[in-house]
Amino acid sequence: MSVLVVGMSHKSAPVDLLERVALDTDSSVKLSHRVLENEYVSESAIISTCNRVEVYVEAERFHGAVDEVSRLLAEHSGLTREELVRHVYVHYDEAAVAHLFGVASGMDSMILGESQILGQVRDALSSGQAESTVGSALNTLFQQALRIGKRGHAETGIDRLAPSIVTAGFDAAGDIVTAPSSRILVAGAGTMASLAVRTLVDRGVEPQRIWVANRTFQRAFELVAAYGVSAVRWEALDVELSAADVLITCTGAAGTVFDRERIGAAAGDRPMSVIDLALPRDVAGDVRTLPSVEVVDLEVLAAQAANAELADDVRQVQGIVADEVRSFLAAKNASKVTPTVVALRGMATEVVAAETERVLARLGDDVDDDTRREVGQALRRVAEKLIHAPTVRVKELVDGPEGLTYADALADLFALDQTTVRAVTAVGGEPS
């Protein structure tokens, strides 16, 4: 069994295509369960963010799992399989591990080093645990990825590049966001909206200049209680929009919320900044043709990120990821050969016990206790010397494929009972 990821991100697909593949929470859960219906898949987890959708599985067969995951993604998005496969990427085994570790550390994000992805990876793991689609393999992998992401931020200055998509959007919009006279309207009250409000307050924007509108008024009111901002009902959105200098939108709606006519009527001839942090996009693409309106969306942020130069901090994080990938794979390989070693030692112990009993029975009752102990110890020393070199060698080889081949050869040469080997695997661990 090996980990496999089938995904699509801002690096492989245009934003309009990502919009079609985007998964909300319910869709992610349903897709994760459907993926598990495949006979070659034993575990699944899905990372779905504003700029990526990735399906991670623990798979027995590469091609069978890839075909099924691709088919399900195409079915969900309404794309043909041919349209989809032109924009997806597939990583398997070591490459899949390296990819997830890079994602969790922010190295594969639209904004290099952004920290928001850590929470999204954690959400994917928590959802998989709650839905029982994640087992021991993906749980270990994701926990390690989270640790690596935290390590990268703790040991380097990667946060200086951009801690989140929200801050990058605000930076791109410029001074109008924090200008003392600006009135800011936030459409939506989910995780991204909450982060936007918190970031505004942290940047010194007075709460009384921030209004939050959401279809569920109670969710908007929760932000009022948390940050002291104002809440407005969704039905009054156009009225508030006409008074806003900055619109920050992240509603999670399935289609366009703000079209050209709506924004144009609200803005008129006065300057307005629109920051669209949603995927699918809340703001229609032709809104950017309005002369007085500046639009910052994921497409703009992606273009800016493509021009960013790699910093020393980025290279340092990449080094951390590379080291952690090697350590993870070494531990994984060691866990695969350990059952064979334990089974070999168990077989040797059984042979020694049987031979000791047979020899002592032949010697009869005239043998004293010291002689009996000496006979048993001698047989154990012989057995230990015979298996010492093979067990040491297989442990030395676990960092490469030879270690696994050698473990299989040991099992064959010593005719180890595969039921015993599997039992050791199920229990886990090796006696000291």
Side-chain angles (χ1 to χ4, degrees):
M1 302 287 283
S2 295
V3 64
L4 164 74
V5 56
V6 179
M8 180 184 293
S9 75
H10 64 282
K11 291 185 176 181
S12 68
V15 172
D16 58 346
L17 195 63
L18 278 173
E19 290 176 329
R20 296 178 65 179
V21 183
L23 297 163
D24 58 23
T25 301
D26 289 341
S27 297
S28 292
V29 169
K30 290 177 182 177
L31 180 60
S32 192
H33 281 289
R34 291 195 66 188
V35 168
L36 277 183
E37 294 173 4
N38 185 275
E39 60 180 315
Y40 304 123
V41 173
S42 60
E43 302 179 32
S44 67
I46 296 176
I47 298 177
S48 181
T49 75
C50 59
N51 54 39
R52 76 177 60 249
V53 173
E54 295 180 341
V55 181
Y56 290 82
V57 301
E58 181 72 359
E60 181 180 349
R61 292 193 182 180
F62 173 82
H63 292 293
V66 168
D67 289 345
E68 181 63 6
V69 173
S70 299
R71 183 187 69 79
L72 290 172
L73 280 174
E75 182 180 299
H76 158 74
S77 61
L79 298 168
T80 66
R81 194 173 183 281
E82 290 70 24
E83 290 174 318
L84 181 82
V85 297
R86 285 200 296 268
H87 298 282
V88 299
Y89 43 82
V90 177
H91 301 298
Y92 187 63
D93 207 7
E94 178 178 350
V97 172
H99 179 75
L100 177 59
F101 289 0
V103 167
S105 63
M107 291 300 94
D108 197 63
S109 295
M110 182 180 294
I111 308 300
L112 282 173
E114 60 98 3
S115 57
Q116 189 179 358
I117 186 64
L118 265 178
Q120 293 160 337
V121 172
R122 187 180 296 108
D123 289 345
L125 175 59
S126 298
S127 176
Q129 292 170 333
E131 294 293 326
S132 298
T133 63
V134 166
S136 60
L138 289 185
N139 182 72
T140 300
L141 178 65
F142 272 67
Q143 293 285 6
Q144 183 87 335
L146 290 170
R147 187 182 67 79
I148 291 167
K150 293 176 184 177
R151 181 187 168 193
H153 289 286
E155 296 182 13
T156 74
I158 197 69
D159 286 329
R160 292 177 300 179
L161 292 179
S164 72
I165 294 292
V166 172
T167 56
F170 290 174
D171 290 343
D175 294 339
I176 191 172
V177 175
T178 55
S181 60
S182 290
R183 179 183 173 107
I184 300 171
L185 174 64
V186 179
T191 301
M192 187 73 79
S194 178
L195 179 59
V197 171
R198 187 182 73 191
T199 304
L200 287 170
V201 173
D202 288 346
R203 290 192 171 196
V205 177
E206 296 174 351
Q208 58 265 34
R209 293 196 288 110
I210 304 171
W211 281 258
V212 179
N214 192 60
R215 286 186 175 87
T216 304
F217 185 72
Q218 180 59 35
R219 292 291 302 277
F221 198 76
E222 290 172 3
L223 294 182
V224 174
Y227 301 105
V229 299
S230 300
V232 296
R233 296 193 178 277
W234 191 257
E235 294 76 14
L237 183 62
D238 286 326
V239 174
E240 298 300 329
L241 186 61
S242 296
D245 301 293
V246 179
L247 167 65
I248 301 168
T249 181
C250 36
T251 67
T256 298
V257 178
F258 300 97
D259 57 21
R260 190 178 189 279
E261 181 179 0
R262 190 176 195 181
I263 294 293
D269 295 329
R270 64 189 181 87
M272 176 185 284
S273 284
V274 176
I275 304 172
D276 186 358
L277 302 174
L279 188 71
R281 286 176 292 192
D282 285 341
V283 180
D286 58 356
V287 170
R288 66 179 70 251
T289 64
L290 292 170
S292 64
V293 177
E294 179 188 16
V295 178
V296 174
D297 59 15
L298 298 180
E299 197 167 5
V300 172
L301 295 178
Q304 291 182 349
N307 295 325
E309 293 184 0
L310 287 177
D312 289 339
D313 292 316
V314 174
R315 298 188 187 94
Q316 189 176 348
V317 173
Q318 289 171 334
I320 290 173
V321 170
D323 290 342
E324 292 283 359
V325 169
R326 285 190 291 269
S327 297
F328 181 86
L329 294 175
K332 183 179 179 181
N333 285 342
S335 70
K336 290 181 179 179
V337 301
T338 292
T340 300
V341 173
V342 174
L344 179 60
R345 287 182 173 175
M347 184 198 71
T349 299
E350 292 177 1
V351 171
V352 167
E355 287 301 307
T356 300
E357 184 178 350
R358 187 180 68 82
V359 170
L360 293 179
R362 290 181 61 184
L363 292 176
D365 296 334
D366 295 336
V367 180
D368 57 40
D369 290 342
D370 289 341
T371 301
R372 289 175 179 274
R373 281 194 295 272
E374 186 64 32
V375 169
Q377 290 173 357
L379 288 172
R380 282 192 292 273
R381 284 194 296 271
V382 170
E384 183 60 34
K385 288 180 179 179
L386 286 174
I387 68 171
H388 177 72
T391 55
V392 169
R393 183 60 176 154
V394 75
K395 289 180 179 179
E396 291 174 345
L397 293 172
V398 296
D399 286 339
E402 296 86 354
L404 304 184
T405 304
Y406 197 85
D408 295 338
L410 277 181
D412 289 338
L413 288 171
F414 286 90
L416 297 179
D417 184 355
Q418 288 301 314
T419 303
T420 302
V421 175
R422 287 193 292 270
V424 173
T425 303
V427 173
E430 179 181 357
S432 57

